Amino acid sequence: MLVLDIPSPPLPAAVPTPRSQDSGCESCAVRSRSICASLQAEARNLLGRDGRIVSVPRGRTLVWEGEDSALVANLIEGALKLSTSTTDGREQIVGVAYPGDFIGRPFNDRSPHSVTALVDSRCCLFPRAAFDRFAHDHPELEHRLLGTVLDELDRARRWMLLLGRKSASERVASFVLELSERLGDNGCAPAAPLDRFDLPLDRQQIADILGLTIETVSRQLSALRSAGILDLPARRTVHILDRPRLIARAGN
Amino acid sequence: MLVLDIPSPPLPAAVPTPRSQDSGCESCAVRSRSICASLQAEARNLLGRDGRIVSVPRGRTLVWEGEDSALVANLIEGALKLSTSTTDGREQIVGVAYPGDFIGRPFNDRSPHSVTALVDSRCCLFPRAAFDRFAHDHPELEHRLLGTVLDELDRARRWMLLLGRKSASERVASFVLELSERLGDNGCAPAAPLDRFDLPLDRQQIADILGLTIETVSRQLSALRSAGILDLPARRTVHILDRPRLIARAGN
DNA sequence: CGACTAATTGAGTCGCTTCAATAAGCGTGG
DNA sequence: CCACGCTTATTGAAGCGACTCAATTAGTCG
């Protein structure tokens, strides 16, 4: 079930002139960071014809866990969470996507997790079947996709160490560090970690990433503030004052 | 640092006659299940020339976390664990490989986790550089590899739900179920879950998978036995007596 | 059969959760 | 602009589940 009651976006996907015509890709903000970067202009425009740019308001779910995986996408702007739940409703966030990231489950007709916008976002959506077909015919795209999926797997496994073996204070420190590194990676500049940034997540979502409760997250953040390691000037703003000590607290 | 003081295996990898010659692949036990299944005979033998079959005794580590990732491999027989640790030595097992599985980190020169034999095993090892080159030239291999990496990622994310949100009893139930399903999947038969099987892991290793202690694992297994859901006829043997109730206890 | 290792079981402690109350942001409308 | 109400976050107190430490039992292998 996919609901996208969004006014048709300003994208010439349905214009008469087909093929090797600019489908908007030339001006795409994440072209150089997304998997599309692997493609030559002609192939990119061919793929672009299958894509539709849609706005996804905060809180809207693009894909539901267990439902058939009808689409894949590149995130252009915003942030998305990937999450799974137990039968009785406990939730775990298993990944967060940032601009340039690829989301969805190619080559499989069930999605193992839900995908939901954390903040107002924009995606370039592809019907999965069309994407699968295109990928199969374009090894350079599959090669790039393989690289990003391997990176995601590494990240997921690092997170398993956090979830299985780290204390609450180590988890929160690790979370702040990872976020500062991911947000600092704009794709263009040589990826320096940020010392000051805004959280795209509220406390409950942080808890759902770390396998903790909202109260424990709050207490640990307060502890880091008291220790002079962080400043928290606003609800969603983090300022890292003492990165070395933060790293020491992350435990790996 | 790779130590492989193993008597040279009965593999004609170094025989004079090169190319499109049987390199042992024709009789490989996991040929149809491994990523090699994607290759035609000629390409397979070409790749086979880079491979060396080695025996890995229980407990030996093939790849070390953080060291440069010099090799990749197909597991032919046995079982391997993939693990990471915190600086102070707490360990988390982030994956278990069974025959036919691919291990190692292609396209990256650091391995994010260690790979260690859980039981006496046999692998078909490839120098990573040679494998990367070969993969790059054989899209059908990369396509297959992409499929297996996507499956691994799904599995890792399911495990994140377990580690982040499940209770000890749910974790142990989930573990027994997953193992019964993985071991039942011989690649040939239509993959029926096993009701009776031997654990390739001791209690400490189960604890390292589940993010628990050895005592908690033991207590939860005992509880399942008392409830009549499992029988534990030997240290490493599990017999599932009441699968529906086991599934109910797994919590998803 | 005896020595050693692995697993089980018990008792007490600790860390995170739960439940509850307070405080701080934040948007809205007077 | 500030008061108001609502949401989100913080802080406190009590409870509970998993851990730690310790003792016992069951396998395993020479």
Side-chain angles (χ1 to χ4, degrees):
Chain A
M1 183 195 67
L2 170 67
V3 184
L4 283 173
D5 45 25
I6 297 156
S8 205
L11 168 103
V15 293
T17 21
R19 269 207 144 87
S20 58
Q21 164 87 8
D22 180 5
S23 48
C25 295
E26 307 309 326
S27 58
C28 177
V30 297
R31 198 183 80 190
S32 62
R33 289 192 277 159
S34 74
I35 56 171
C36 301
S38 62
L39 298 170
Q40 300 295 333
E42 199 187 348
R44 189 170 59 234
N45 283 317
L46 187 56
L47 176 60
R49 290 182 59 224
D50 289 326
R52 292 181 55 77
I53 295 176
V54 298
S55 295
V56 188
R58 170 181 181 168
R60 176 163 295 164
T61 296
L62 271 178
V63 181
W64 296 86
E65 176 180 0
E67 306 260 319
D68 67 79
S69 133
L71 49 85
V72 299
N74 282 317
L75 180 57
I76 296 170
E77 189 189 336
L80 309 177
K81 67 170 181 177
L82 320 184
S83 60
T84 18
S85 300
T86 57
T87 39
D88 61 345
R90 284 166 285 169
E91 177 173 322
Q92 177 67 41
I93 293 179
V94 297
V96 180
Y98 296 100
D101 289 349
F102 177 83
I103 60 117
R105 179 52 164 101
F107 312 124
N108 199 103
D109 46 11
R110 311 241 127 239
S111 171
H113 47 252
S114 302
V115 180
T116 306
L118 290 167
V119 297
D120 292 344
S121 303
R122 281 193 318 131
C123 298
C124 184
L125 290 188
F126 303 92
R128 189 181 60 79
F131 179 85
D132 286 358
R133 229 176 297 120
F134 185 91
H136 207 282
D137 294 340
H138 292 81
E140 67 278 27
L141 182 72
E142 286 209 337
H143 179 74
R144 173 98 182 199
L145 185 55
L146 178 56
T148 70
V149 175
L150 283 165
D151 286 343
E152 269 302 306
L153 183 57
D154 289 347
R155 208 197 313 281
R157 285 174 166 165
R158 248 184 297 124
W159 222 243
M160 288 173 70
L161 175 63
L162 178 144
L163 293 172
R165 293 298 186 204
K166 289 192 183 177
S167 68
S169 78
E170 290 172 326
R171 292 185 200 200
V172 171
S174 301
F175 167 77
V176 173
L177 280 172
E178 151 131 355
L179 205 56
S180 96
E181 283 157 19
R182 293 267 321 259
L183 294 178
D185 182 11
N186 294 310
C188 34
L194 293 179
D195 278 337
R196 189 178 227 279
F197 54 89
D198 277 4
L199 299 165
L201 316 119
D202 63 27
R203 296 289 187 271
Q204 180 59 60
Q205 289 160 343
I206 296 173
D208 288 341
I209 286 181
L210 298 177
L212 297 171
T213 58
I214 194 174
E215 295 95 333
T216 301
V217 170
S218 186
R219 274 184 256 267
Q220 296 300 335
L221 284 172
S222 298
L224 289 172
R225 188 176 38 68
S226 306
I229 296 173
L230 292 186
D231 188 22
L232 302 165
R235 248 199 243 266
R236 291 200 176 215
T237 307
V238 173
H239 188 185
I240 300 176
L241 301 174
D242 189 342
R243 186 174 291 268
R245 277 208 293 155
L246 189 59
I247 291 170
R249 292 213 179 194
N252 73 327
Chain B
M1 183 196 68
L2 169 67
V3 184
L4 282 174
D5 45 25
I6 296 158
S8 204
L11 167 104
V15 293
T17 22
R19 269 207 143 88
S20 60
Q21 165 87 10
D22 180 5
S23 49
C25 295
E26 307 309 326
S27 58
C28 177
V30 297
R31 199 184 79 191
S32 63
R33 289 192 276 159
S34 75
I35 57 170
C36 302
S38 63
L39 298 171
Q40 301 295 333
E42 199 187 348
R44 189 170 59 233
N45 283 316
L46 187 57
L47 176 60
R49 289 182 60 224
D50 288 326
R52 294 181 52 78
I53 294 176
V54 298
S55 295
V56 188
R58 170 182 181 165
R60 174 162 297 164
T61 295
L62 270 178
V63 181
W64 296 85
E65 176 178 0
E67 305 261 320
D68 65 79
S69 136
L71 49 86
V72 299
N74 281 317
L75 179 58
I76 296 171
E77 189 189 335
L80 308 176
K81 67 169 181 178
L82 319 183
S83 60
T84 16
S85 300
T86 57
T87 37
D88 62 346
R90 284 165 287 168
E91 177 173 321
Q92 177 67 41
I93 293 179
V94 297
V96 180
Y98 295 102
D101 288 350
F102 177 84
I103 59 118
R105 178 54 164 99
F107 312 122
N108 200 104
D109 47 12
R110 311 241 128 239
S111 172
H113 48 252
S114 302
V115 180
T116 306
L118 290 168
V119 297
D120 291 345
S121 302
R122 282 193 318 131
C123 298
C124 183
L125 290 189
F126 303 91
R128 188 182 60 80
F131 179 86
D132 285 359
R133 229 176 298 121
F134 184 90
H136 207 280
D137 294 340
H138 292 81
E140 67 278 26
L141 182 73
E142 285 208 338
H143 180 74
R144 172 97 181 200
L145 186 55
L146 178 56
T148 71
V149 175
L150 284 166
D151 286 343
E152 270 304 306
L153 183 56
D154 289 347
R155 209 197 311 282
R157 285 174 166 166
R158 249 184 296 122
W159 222 245
M160 288 172 71
L161 175 64
L162 178 144
L163 293 171
R165 292 300 187 203
K166 289 191 184 179
S167 69
S169 77
E170 290 171 326
R171 292 184 199 200
V172 171
S174 301
F175 167 76
V176 172
L177 280 171
E178 153 130 354
L179 205 56
S180 95
E181 283 157 19
R182 292 268 318 261
L183 295 178
D185 182 10
N186 294 308
C188 34
L194 293 179
D195 278 338
R196 190 180 225 280
F197 54 89
D198 277 4
L199 300 165
L201 318 120
D202 63 28
R203 295 290 187 271
Q204 180 60 60
Q205 289 160 342
I206 296 173
D208 288 341
I209 287 181
L210 298 178
L212 297 171
T213 58
I214 196 173
E215 295 95 331
T216 301
V217 171
S218 186
R219 274 185 256 270
Q220 295 300 334
L221 284 172
S222 298
L224 289 172
R225 189 174 39 67
S226 306
I229 294 174
L230 292 185
D231 188 22
L232 302 164
R235 249 200 243 267
R236 290 199 175 215
T237 307
V238 174
H239 188 184
I240 300 175
L241 301 174
D242 190 342
R243 186 174 291 268
R245 276 209 292 157
L246 189 59
I247 290 169
R249 291 212 179 193
N252 75 328

